[in-house]
Amino acid sequence: TGVLRTNYPGVTMIDSISTYGNGGWVYAASSAWANNPYRFSTIAELPSEPIPFELVITSNNDNEYPYHKVIPMQLELNLIQSGWPFDTGGASQGSAIIADINNDGTKEVIFSDQARNIQARNATNQSSLPGFPVSLDAPVIGSIAMSKAQNDGSRVFAASLSNNTIVAFDSNGEILFTQPAGATLRSGPVISKLQNSDEEKIAVVSQNGALHVLDFNGNYATNYPVSLGSIFVVQPAVADMNGDGTMEFVLLAADGSLNVIDSSTGTNISGFPIAATNGGSQNSLTIANLDADEEPEILIATSTTGLLYALNHDGSVLFQKEINSQIKSSPIIADVNNDNNKEIIIIASNGNIYVMNLDGTDLPGMPISVGSSVESTPVVARFDGSDMAGIIFGDTTGKLHSVRIDGTESPNFPIHLNGNVKISAALADLDGDGDLDIAVPDNGQYYVIDVKRQISGLEWLCHLGDYGRTGNAMNPVPNSDQIAEVVGTALYGAFPNPFNPTTNISFNLKEAAEVSLVIYNQKGQKVRSLINANLPSGKHQLTWNGTDDNGHGVASGLYFYRMKSGKYSSTRKMILMK
């Protein structure tokens, strides 16, 4: 007979007893499965995995030689959304898009597979949208780009194909055009407005240096295509580099030369091209403001020489930093330590994470090592109730990490997938419950992971920061999606949880409002009122020390905390363990 047991808070055994063998008999030198499965349930907000269990095996209790053995074990909860993963038939080449593309109030996951299809699937049940999948003539190269909402609420998407064509399609799965590029394509497209008065355009650079700029009907923009005369394997970034109100295409060639192309003329602006780096790069560029002026800077991570460059808008070097390893991911910008200042994040291929100030100096404790190779550009979110954001990325052993600035992993991480995780994740609240959801592929499947912790901010939500794939973290292109998603009024998970003796409860207010936050026991009785006051907009944090309104300590157990503000109301759980 076997008995599975645990005293872990938040876990309830449903079927804890089972027998083994034929009629309860197991013979010497043989093995047997349990005749009935063990079953248990957990609260949705279970804060810490893996869960410790003990399996107690007993036999021959009434005989001369009774058998009794306690086997400790740990079980990990599966956070993969029901109905996922989706079999892509091989390695998907691009980061997903998460958006409500049919305006039904539910977000979809848009991605490519190796069967030459574009998938648009409901995040909660994996059902396909009408008109999808879109069947293509060849697999997709790089990530799909998405436009802003059109006048009718629809979206336009663009992709580069391995047969060297550019394809555009809409929210209904209708192909708008296919355009031969005339040369090998090694990177995905960009969709962006190029001037305030302009419609969005699709831009793709081919390996032989031909820059294609097309409207949504497949017509070339004036002065395009243009030849840049070098080899290119990385898509352009888009930013106003000289402050004239017109966007430029920023392109790094394989030989390390940098072009900054005026989008209206198709020619380099004054001072470019330049010999920018010692060695080229297969990593995307990031545009950001790194210093005290209002001009944009360019971040470049070279692939083989392991150098991080920060270049001023005129091409001069702001700083150069040796990473001491090859780099197969792109630099990003995010506030990871909640000091209201952005930091630069770069991950070397040897698994070392560098977080540095905008002048290139390392933060204390750098680098942080995950002990395995990394090819995945990170994304960044705040979701675990602490002041530290999670730097989320995959490694070549199939683990999805969320590493914080102190070197620890966020609760529930790393998450084990089945293969090399080298494509950037996409982040969102997919199902409207306020929790973080992650869409990410390994080398054979696409996953949607439902992290049972509320989002308090998305610092860098997808590959290249926005779904237009502009790489622009400084001055968003006209009418672009924001890189840091605005979060409305929300109550977040207590941290730590379980706790003893204190825990912090965070919440966000979209605007100034009256707020109450009350703690209740399992009987629904009021235990403590933490606040009932008018507060300004923004993030707030309260501390509960495990006492009631009279200052008396309360017993261990499950407690609920409820926040009310205007029409908003939310209740969450926490566990006091003494």
Side-chain angles (χ1 to χ4, degrees), residues 413-424:
F413 286 85
I415 295 171
H416 296 264
L417 305 180
N418 291 325
N420 186 355
V421 183
K422 63 180 182 179
I423 302 298
S424 292

Side-chain angles (χ1 to χ4, degrees), residues 58-228:
T58 57
S59 183
N60 299 329
N61 289 334
D62 299 328
N63 282 351
E64 181 179 358
Y65 303 104
Y67 180 83
H68 179 92
K69 186 174 182 63
V70 178
I71 305 171
M73 63 181 64
Q74 291 185 329
L75 300 178
E76 292 193 23
L77 289 185
N78 187 342
L79 298 176
I80 297 171
Q81 180 76 34
S82 177
W84 296 82
F86 178 88
D87 187 357
T88 55
S92 178
Q93 297 295 312
S95 178
I97 291 171
I98 301 176
D100 178 10
I101 67 172
N102 61 352
N103 300 308
D104 66 350
T106 302
K107 293 177 180 177
E108 290 81 40
V109 184
I110 301 94
F111 59 95
S112 64
D113 63 28
Q114 280 297 305
R116 303 181 179 183
N117 295 316
I118 302 290
Q119 304 285 344
R121 295 191 169 267
N122 182 285
T124 56
N125 61 19
Q126 209 193 90
S127 61
S128 187
L129 264 62
F132 288 86
V134 177
S135 180
L136 304 172
D137 294 331
V140 171
I141 299 295
S143 295
I144 302 166
M146 182 180 72
S147 76
K148 309 304 150 226
Q150 305 300 291
N151 292 334
D152 61 358
S154 66
R155 306 274 186 158
V156 173
F157 303 83
S160 299
L161 304 185
S162 63
N163 66 354
N164 306 324
T165 60
I166 305 162
V167 63
F169 58 95
D170 65 15
S171 300
N172 298 315
E174 180 181 350
I175 292 181
L176 303 178
F177 71 82
T178 58
Q179 174 64 51
T184 302
L185 295 177
R186 295 283 301 278
S187 62
V190 177
I191 296 181
S192 174
K193 271 195 173 185
L194 303 178
Q195 300 179 47
N196 282 311
S197 61
D198 195 14
E199 298 295 329
E200 289 177 291
K201 297 292 192 298
I202 300 167
V204 179
V205 64
S206 60
Q207 180 173 292
N208 70 350
L211 178 60
H212 303 262
V213 179
L214 303 152
D215 66 20
F216 291 164
N217 295 313
N219 301 313
Y220 275 102
T222 303
N223 299 319
Y224 292 92
V226 297
S227 177
L228 305 179

Side-chain angles (χ1 to χ4, degrees), residues 179-442:
Q179 174 64 51
T184 302
L185 295 177
R186 295 283 301 278
S187 62
V190 177
I191 296 181
S192 174
K193 271 195 173 185
L194 303 178
Q195 300 179 47
N196 282 311
S197 61
D198 195 14
E199 298 295 329
E200 289 177 291
K201 297 292 192 298
I202 300 167
V204 179
V205 64
S206 60
Q207 180 173 292
N208 70 350
L211 178 60
H212 303 262
V213 179
L214 303 152
D215 66 20
F216 291 164
N217 295 313
N219 301 313
Y220 275 102
T222 303
N223 299 319
Y224 292 92
V226 297
S227 177
L228 305 179
S230 297
I231 296 174
F232 291 84
V233 296
V234 179
Q235 71 266 58
V238 179
D240 182 2
M241 297 299 296
N242 56 5
D244 65 354
T246 297
M247 293 293 149
E248 278 75 45
F249 297 114
V250 185
L251 303 105
L252 184 71
D255 62 4
S257 61
L258 185 71
N259 291 262
V260 178
I261 303 297
D262 185 321
S263 62
S264 65
T265 66
T267 60
N268 272 289
I269 65 173
S270 178
F272 291 90
I274 62 169
T277 64
N278 176 18
S281 180
Q282 299 184 33
N283 305 316
S284 301
L285 309 181
T286 299
I287 310 297
N289 187 7
L290 304 181
D291 52 22
D293 63 25
E294 297 182 358
E295 306 294 343
E297 281 75 48
I298 307 166
L299 283 171
I300 304 170
T302 61
S303 301
T304 57
T305 56
L307 298 172
L308 177 65
Y309 291 85
L311 304 182
N312 292 303
H313 70 285
D314 60 2
S316 59
V317 177
L318 180 64
F319 69 80
Q320 175 182 327
K321 186 180 182 69
E322 292 188 8
I323 301 300
N324 297 317
S325 171
Q326 290 187 352
I327 304 172
K328 297 183 179 180
S329 64
S330 304
I332 67 168
I333 300 290
D335 178 9
V336 297
N337 55 4
N338 203 31
D339 65 353
N340 295 317
N341 295 308
K342 300 290 187 182
E343 287 83 38
I344 301 169
I345 304 158
I346 186 71
I347 305 179
S349 61
N350 64 3
N352 283 345
I353 306 166
Y354 294 84
V355 181
M356 61 194 77
N357 298 305
L358 298 183
D359 61 2
T361 58
D362 287 338
L363 267 63
M366 296 301 116
I368 301 166
S369 177
V370 294
S372 53
S373 297
V374 174
E375 301 178 21
S376 167
T377 297
V379 290
V380 178
R382 300 182 184 281
F383 64 96
D384 64 6
S386 74
D387 287 335
M388 297 177 289
I391 303 168
I392 301 170
F393 60 95
D395 68 23
T396 58
T397 69
K399 294 177 184 176
L400 184 68
H401 299 271
S402 176
V403 176
R404 300 181 289 194
I405 190 65
D406 64 354
T408 62
E409 296 257 11
S410 301
N412 304 115
F413 286 85
I415 295 171
H416 296 264
L417 305 180
N418 291 325
N420 186 355
V421 183
K422 63 180 182 179
I423 302 298
S424 292
L427 308 178
D429 173 13
L430 279 166
D431 46 14
D433 63 358
D435 291 345
L436 176 66
D437 298 297
I438 304 172
V440 64
D442 61 15

